């Protein structure tokens, strides 16, 4: 596979992000809200690098693109959230592509009465953004390629890979 970001590079960057976020949230009531399912690996690694008291919550966002339905229609399931009133939220997603998912989720979380909402994405795809949105923390900018690994999937495969790679042309699981 064409590895774009190695496991070691991810570890180093997650360490940096953890230190930065812990400093920025000092004295705040931090709740890390992960966006299922792509956030899982990043979430598990980042919270263990965050030397700061925190709660973890999850939210699910599924988009139904193309086909006959409205392109980019987003369905949000917030049944896994914890109480967010007065909390300082760090919303965590795997990748910012058009920006539609994360901007909609920020608006949604803002209705729960939090003290603040900040955002962190592991990857930011360059040249694809369709809505104006600036994440507060970015792991790595990446070129406009479809990537898998470290939580990111293609048809629910590849999430377990410890690195970020380009989706192989034959789309076959590595063997
Ligand atoms: P956005 O709403 O920013 O266009 O899309 C964000 C979502 O699209 C991500 O949470 C992810 O599920 C999916 N996505 C966008 N680009 C990629 C990619 O290169 N690889 C994978 N696996 N998912 C992607
Ligand atoms: Mg996703």
């Amino acid at each position: 596979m064409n590895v774009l970001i190695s496991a070691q590079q991810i570890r180093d960057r997650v360490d940096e992000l953890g230190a930065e976020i812990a400093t920025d949230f000092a004295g705040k009531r931090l709740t890390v809200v992960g966006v299922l399912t792509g956030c899982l690996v990043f979430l598990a690694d980042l919270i263990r690098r965050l030397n700061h008291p925190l709660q973890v919550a999850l939210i699910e966002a599924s988009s139904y693109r193309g086909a006959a339905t409205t392109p980019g229609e987003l369905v949000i399931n917030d049944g896994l959230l914890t109480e967010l009133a007065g909390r300082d939220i760090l919303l965590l997603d795997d990748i910012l592509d058009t920006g539609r998912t994360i901007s909609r989720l920020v608006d949604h979380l803002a209705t729960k009465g939090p003290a603040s909402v900040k955002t962190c994405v592991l990857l930011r795809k360059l040249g694809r953004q369709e809505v104006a949105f600036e994440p507060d923390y970015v792991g790595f900018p990446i070129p406009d390629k479809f990537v898998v690994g470290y939580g990111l999937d293609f048809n629910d495969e590849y999430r377990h890979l410890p690195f970020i790679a380009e989706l192989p042309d034959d789309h076959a699981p590595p063997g």
Side-chain angles (χ1 to χ4, degrees), residues 35-38 61 93-94:
V35 183
L36 289 172
T37 303
D93 204 356
D94 50 2

Side-chain angles (χ1 to χ4, degrees), residues 29-141:
R29 304 170 69 211
L30 173 60
T31 299
V32 179
V33 177
V35 183
L36 289 172
T37 303
C39 80
L40 278 182
V41 181
F42 183 35
L43 176 75
D45 280 350
L46 183 68
I47 59 175
R48 288 177 293 170
R49 298 291 179 275
L50 270 170
N51 184 18
H52 190 286
L54 62 84
Q55 294 182 357
V56 175
L58 295 165
I59 193 164
E60 190 179 11
S62 332
S63 48
Y64 298 94
R65 291 159 200 254
T69 59
T70 319
E73 189 189 338
L74 195 73
V75 177
I76 296 173
N77 170 15
D78 67 6
L80 294 168
L81 284 180
T82 53
E83 176 58 57
L84 295 176
R87 305 286 304 183
D88 292 287
I89 296 176
L90 181 67
L91 179 63
L92 209 68
D93 204 356
D94 50 2
I95 185 165
L96 189 152
D97 184 19
T98 66
R100 293 187 185 283
T101 304
I102 199 151
S103 60
R104 279 281 316 280
L105 287 172
V106 167
D107 292 347
H108 188 83
L109 291 174
T111 67
K112 309 288 181 185
S116 65
V117 184
K118 298 220 166 193
T119 56
C120 174
V121 293
L122 178 69
L123 306 174
R124 182 182 201 173
K125 222 184 263 191
L126 299 177
R128 291 263 311 162
Q129 213 166 319
E130 292 173 9
V131 298
F133 183 85
E134 275 305 309
D136 296 285
Y137 305 93
V138 174
F140 302 91

